[in-house]
Amino acid sequence: MKRELEKFEVIERSIIKKYRKTIWTKFVRAVNDYELIKDGDKIMVCISGGKDSMLLAKCMQELYRHGKRNFELEFVVMDPGYNAYNRQVIIDNAEYLNIPIKIFESNIFDVVAEVDETPCYLCARMRRGFLYKYAQSIGCNKIALGHHFDDAIETILMSMLYGGEIKTMMPKLHSTNHPGMELIRPLYLVKEEDIIAWKNTHDLRFIQCACRLTESCLLGDQGGGSKRQEMKNLVKKFRQTNPHIDMNIFRSVHNVNLETIIGYRKDGKDHSFLDEYDEQ
């Protein structure tokens, strides 16, 4: 007699069956195309409690279970000062999804609460530092974050419209402050709408934002007012105009034509098209 699948097994199976084309194939392609995982890696999968990091954890589990690579995984939650409710939601979801998490504490929310300007920027920087240090303490050489396709194109637009430069969110990068450590983004090719569809299919409820400054973000309220939210709205309008615009934005940073670039910066040095103009 065939046994009935556990709920977490149904959710796992949906990733490689129902969402094979929109999630699993794109996840595997990012891992392969950007060479995100190598034999011998010990990867700390960072779980914030939101939909993206929880899906990332399940995809990494599936890859470990069915992949041919020789690597190790640690599933880690950093508690920067969550309220008791949010912390318990994360614990309950991890148990429900069969993700064996480790939790470590930090005081980031206490520090950020005292900052008037750019608290989100400071919080992000501090989080990254704590994550790298903890990863090193448990013998990991990489940390995996749940940033996805939409995060990448929103970053491109924010950099152009508000930063005055063309810059993107890289699929992987070396840490500048923690030698030997690397950050990877395996969901780099997965669209947010498909992550939401997966979440809704299984009626999963994750925390959207656990910051004390934005407690209204509990369990799915999108909130608003941030530059990234502004970019989300802009991309949504673009898609209504032309469903291919988001992919064209993404491809643009993969197909930079240096012959038509006025200037660029590399290794901290500025370069101009004039440097080689008279040599032609």
Side-chain angles (χ1 to χ4, degrees):
M1 183 176 178
K2 194 173 182 179
R3 75 174 180 87
E4 185 176 351
L5 294 177
E6 298 282 348
K7 290 183 178 179
F8 75 85
E9 292 176 310
V10 173
I11 294 171
E12 289 171 349
R13 180 164 293 189
S14 75
I15 295 173
I16 59 176
K17 295 289 186 180
K18 180 179 176 67
Y19 293 101
R20 186 175 190 86
K21 182 178 180 180
T22 56
I23 292 178
W24 180 247
T25 298
K26 291 182 177 181
F27 164 77
V28 172
R29 194 169 81 206
V31 169
N32 291 331
D33 287 358
Y34 300 118
E35 300 178 358
L36 301 185
I37 301 175
K38 297 181 179 180
D39 287 345
D41 280 342
K42 186 174 181 180
I43 305 167
M44 186 176 89
V45 181
C46 304
I47 298 175
S48 65
K51 66 185 189 312
D52 308 326
S53 62
M54 287 294 190
L55 174 61
L56 171 64
K58 295 310 298 179
C59 286
M60 294 295 280
Q61 282 183 321
E62 285 298 306
L63 187 65
Y64 181 78
R65 186 159 33 240
H66 303 295
K68 298 179 181 179
R69 291 179 178 81
N70 176 28
F71 63 93
E72 298 179 59
L73 295 173
E74 295 282 355
F75 300 94
V76 172
V77 176
M78 180 187 68
D79 184 346
Y82 293 136
N83 64 39
Y85 181 80
N86 277 327
R87 181 180 170 115
Q88 192 58 49
V89 168
I90 295 173
I91 293 172
D92 291 344
N93 277 330
E95 182 177 351
Y96 183 76
L97 293 171
N98 195 36
I99 302 171
I101 61 172
K102 295 179 179 178
I103 302 178
F104 76 97
E105 319 286 336
S106 73
N107 64 341
I108 292 177
F109 283 174
D110 289 335
V111 175
V112 173
E114 303 299 322
V115 177
D116 293 328
E117 296 184 5
T118 63
C120 294
Y121 174 77
L122 177 61
C123 182
R125 289 292 299 272
M126 290 183 68
R127 281 173 182 260
R128 194 69 54 83
F130 272 102
L131 289 172
Y132 274 128
K133 288 180 182 178
Y134 187 79
Q136 287 181 315
S137 75
I138 59 175
C140 293
N141 66 307
K142 292 181 178 179
I143 65 173
L145 301 181
H147 296 124
H148 47 64
F149 175 89
D150 292 71
D151 291 320
I153 61 174
E154 289 158 15
T155 298
I156 295 169
L157 291 173
M158 275 197 299
S159 297
M160 292 178 66
L161 301 179
Y162 288 103
E165 63 179 342
I166 297 176
K167 184 170 66 174
T168 189
M169 178 179 284
M170 299 295 287
K172 68 177 181 180
L173 66 157
H174 294 289
S175 171
T176 54
N177 298 319
H178 300 84
M181 292 297 299
E182 193 173 354
L183 179 152
I184 62 174
R185 296 181 168 106
L187 295 183
Y188 198 71
L189 301 179
V190 179
K191 291 189 176 184
E192 185 174 30
E193 64 182 5
D194 295 316
I195 300 176
I196 293 172
W198 168 79
K199 174 182 75 74
N200 291 342
T201 291
H202 302 292
D203 195 28
L204 299 170
R205 290 177 60 79
F206 302 118
I207 62 172
Q208 173 70 25
C209 172
C211 177
R212 289 179 190 164
L213 303 178
T214 54
E215 294 279 36
S216 63
C217 292
L218 266 183
L219 291 174
D221 181 5
Q222 291 293 325
S226 71
K227 287 291 181 283
R228 187 164 291 278
Q229 184 61 44
E230 185 180 329
M231 294 303 103
K232 283 185 182 293
N233 295 336
L234 184 60
V235 171
K236 185 177 181 179
K237 291 181 180 178
F238 283 158
R239 284 169 171 155
Q240 292 172 349
T241 302
N242 183 332
H244 304 296
I245 286 181
D246 57 353
M247 183 55 71
N248 287 338
I249 294 171
F250 184 78
R251 286 174 176 163
S252 70
V253 293
H254 288 69
N255 298 296
V256 177
N257 186 343
L258 290 179
E259 294 180 355
T260 64
I261 295 296
I262 302 297
Y264 65 95
R265 184 170 61 253
K266 184 176 182 181
D267 298 328
K269 184 178 180 180
D270 291 328
H271 299 269
S272 167
F273 81 103
L274 293 173
D275 296 342
E276 301 176 354
Y277 184 77
D278 290 332
E279 298 176 7
Q280 299 179 2

